[in-house]
């Protein structure tokens, strides 16, 4: 049967009808909020390229966590900006490092809040790369050493779990990182701590504002030898398959907006939760356009996050989380959908 018997607009006629048949619904429980913690006292500094996102010192972190809890957001993802850096990123796995101290502070204030620890070295190394630097014995060229880097990543993950992290989220893209961290966590008695793997992380131009926020830009070269080529999708499947085999509990795609097809691919191929990272430039572009009056920020954000969920994301890491949580509540209360 077809028109005029079939009329698709019948179910779009009123707000109530549209709400009843909506296929994809964004909820507050889908959201994870990233937070940047730094050294010093009484620090709450807005990141210039990310309006509304701040660096917090530990003594100012409580107010941000209070807002997150009041918004009903179930989880935060912690990034640390250390006071000192070295070639091995030793402050990443220091028991008294900035991330470890932040984890303990958050868990003391809000025990039920899920604390996710980003597990990488780039914010902590003086060269800004996600692993150790070795030099080629013949050419002398600097290279990112895969296997020796795994040892430090394991130390970092274990120290974060010891501090109280509920989830370890390794973002380094070294080969074998999930297997190494899973073994390290298990041997340290943290077999129940899940791994949210940055399984498919592209060498993307969308990370610019984050590198400003995390002070993690590489001091030489780029990360294309370990992060994925944006033109590749079959490789994304291979990366995810490896992580599943190595014991990952969740699979992440980063960035999200330009890689909806990859989110859908992972959703169709695997039965693990899929996480989309709505990254810094995706956030900053919306903020810039909204500041100029070119777009309706609320409408764009909610449509974008809903699109990520429709593509297959079970969870969304987003800097819009606090606003989105408010807009979701307003929608449920009868406000604008």
């Amino acid at each position: 049967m077809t028109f005029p018997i079939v009329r698709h607009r019948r179910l779009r006629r009123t707000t109530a009808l549209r709400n009843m048949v909506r296929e994809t619904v964004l909820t507050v429980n889908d959201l994870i909020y990233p937070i940047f913690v730094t050294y010093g006292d009484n620090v709450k500094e807005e990141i210039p390229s990310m309006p509304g996102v701040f660096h917090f010192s530990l003594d100012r972190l409580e107010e941000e966590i209070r807002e997150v809890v009041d918004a009903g957001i179930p989880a935060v993802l912690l990034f640390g900006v250390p006071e000192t850096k070295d070639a091995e990123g030793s402050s990443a796995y220091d028991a008294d490092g900035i991330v470890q101290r932040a984890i303990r502070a958050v868990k003391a204030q809000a025990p039920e809040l899920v604390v996710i620890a980003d597990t990488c070295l780039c914010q902590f190394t003086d060269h800004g790369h996600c692993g150790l630097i070795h030099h080629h014995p013949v050419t002398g060229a600097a290279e990112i050493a895969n296997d020796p880097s795994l040892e430090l990543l394991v130390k970092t993950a274990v120290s974060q779990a010891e501090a109280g992290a509920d989830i370890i989220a390794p973002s380094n893209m070294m080969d074998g990182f999930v297997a190494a961290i899973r073994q390290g966590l298990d041997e340290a008695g943290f077999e129940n701590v899940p791994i949210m793997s940055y399984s498919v992380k592209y060498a993307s131009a969308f990370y610019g504002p984050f590198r400003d926020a995390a002070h993690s830009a590489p001091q030489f070269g780029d990360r294309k030898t370990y992060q994925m080529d944006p033109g590749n999708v079959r490789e994304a499947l291979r990366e995810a398959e490896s992580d599943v085999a190595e014991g990952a509990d969740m699979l992440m795609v980063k960035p999200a907006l330009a890689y909806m097809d990859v989110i859908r691919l992972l959703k169709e191929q695997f039965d693990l939760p899929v996480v989309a990272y709505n990254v810094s430039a995706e956030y900053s572009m919306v903020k810039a356009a909204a500041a100029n009056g070119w777009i309706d920020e609320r409408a764009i954000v909610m449509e974008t996050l809903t699109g990520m969920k429709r593509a297959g994301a079970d969870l969304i890491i987003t800097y819009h989380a606090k606003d989105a949580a408010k807009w979701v509540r307003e929608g449920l209360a009868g406000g604008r959908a």
Side-chain angles (χ1 to χ4, degrees), residues 146-195:
N146 193 93
D147 295 12
S149 300
L150 296 178
E151 299 176 17
L152 301 187
L153 292 164
V154 170
K155 291 175 65 175
T156 301
V158 170
S159 72
Q160 293 168 338
E162 289 174 340
D166 298 292
I167 298 174
I168 298 299
S171 60
N172 54 87
M173 287 296 284
M174 298 293 111
D175 289 337
F177 69 91
V178 172
I181 290 173
R182 182 72 274 157
Q183 180 179 350
L185 288 172
D186 291 355
E187 290 177 352
F190 297 106
E191 62 275 1
N192 291 323
V193 173
I195 295 175

Side-chain angles (χ1 to χ4, degrees), residues 248-315:
D249 299 283
M250 306 179 198
L251 305 175
M252 189 190 302
V253 176
K254 180 183 180 183
L257 196 56
Y259 299 92
M260 296 282 205
D261 59 321
V262 183
I263 296 171
R264 171 52 55 186
L265 176 66
L266 266 60
K267 184 69 170 181
E268 292 174 346
Q269 294 295 321
F270 305 105
D271 57 5
L272 296 180
V274 176
V275 184
Y277 199 144
N278 179 211
V279 298
S280 57
E282 296 169 356
Y283 170 87
S284 297
M285 289 190 298
V286 170
K287 284 292 187 179
N292 279 283
W294 297 336
I295 61 171
D296 179 333
E297 180 178 352
R298 171 177 171 158
I300 290 289
V301 169
M302 296 304 286
E303 184 175 343
T304 299
L305 298 181
T306 300
M308 292 172 188
K309 188 170 181 184
R310 188 186 65 247
D314 298 288
L315 297 168

Side-chain angles (χ1 to χ4, degrees), residues 18 28 45 99 105 111 126 133 145 153 158 172 193 196 200 213 225 230 282 309 329:
R18 292 192 297 273
V28 176
E45 295 178 348
V99 172
D126 53 15
I133 303 297
L153 292 164
V158 170
N172 54 87
V193 173
M196 177 190 288
V200 183
T225 64
E282 296 169 356
K309 188 170 181 184
R329 288 198 308 273

Side-chain angles (χ1 to χ4, degrees), residues 32-38 53-58 60-62 64-66 68 73-82 92 97-110 113-124 156 159-161 163-171 196 198 210 213-214 252 254 277 317-319:
I32 299 169
Y33 185 55
I35 297 177
F36 296 95
V37 185
T38 191
V53 178
F54 297 83
H55 287 122
F56 289 93
S57 55
L58 290 170
R60 296 291 300 272
L61 185 57
E62 181 178 350
E64 182 75 337
I65 296 303
R66 189 182 308 116
V68 170
I73 297 167
V76 293
L77 174 60
L78 295 182
F79 295 96
V81 180
I98 188 66
V99 172
Q100 289 79 358
R101 294 172 64 194
I103 293 169
R104 291 192 290 268
V106 174
K107 295 305 290 185
Q109 178 185 349
L113 187 66
V114 175
V115 176
I116 307 168
D118 178 78
T119 306
C120 198
L121 301 178
C122 59
Q123 299 104 289
F124 306 94
T156 301
S159 72
Q160 293 168 338
D166 298 292
I167 298 174
I168 298 299
S171 60
M196 177 190 288
Y198 286 65
F210 174 89
M252 189 190 302
K254 180 183 180 183
Y277 199 144
I317 302 168
T318 178
Y319 303 97

Side-chain angles (χ1 to χ4, degrees), residues 169-247:
S171 60
N172 54 87
M173 287 296 284
M174 298 293 111
D175 289 337
F177 69 91
V178 172
I181 290 173
R182 182 72 274 157
Q183 180 179 350
L185 288 172
D186 291 355
E187 290 177 352
F190 297 106
E191 62 275 1
N192 291 323
V193 173
I195 295 175
M196 177 190 288
S197 174
Y198 286 65
S199 298
V200 183
K201 183 178 179 180
Y202 285 90
S204 173
F206 283 94
Y207 303 150
F210 174 89
R211 291 175 181 171
D212 179 26
H215 302 172
S216 63
Q219 298 304 299
F220 66 89
D222 53 42
R223 295 175 178 155
K224 294 179 180 179
T225 64
Y226 49 100
Q227 294 178 359
M228 278 188 49
D229 187 320
N232 292 358
V233 66
R234 293 194 303 271
E235 183 185 9
L237 188 58
R238 296 196 299 272
E239 288 277 4
E241 285 175 337
S242 293
D243 287 1
V244 171
E246 292 175 16

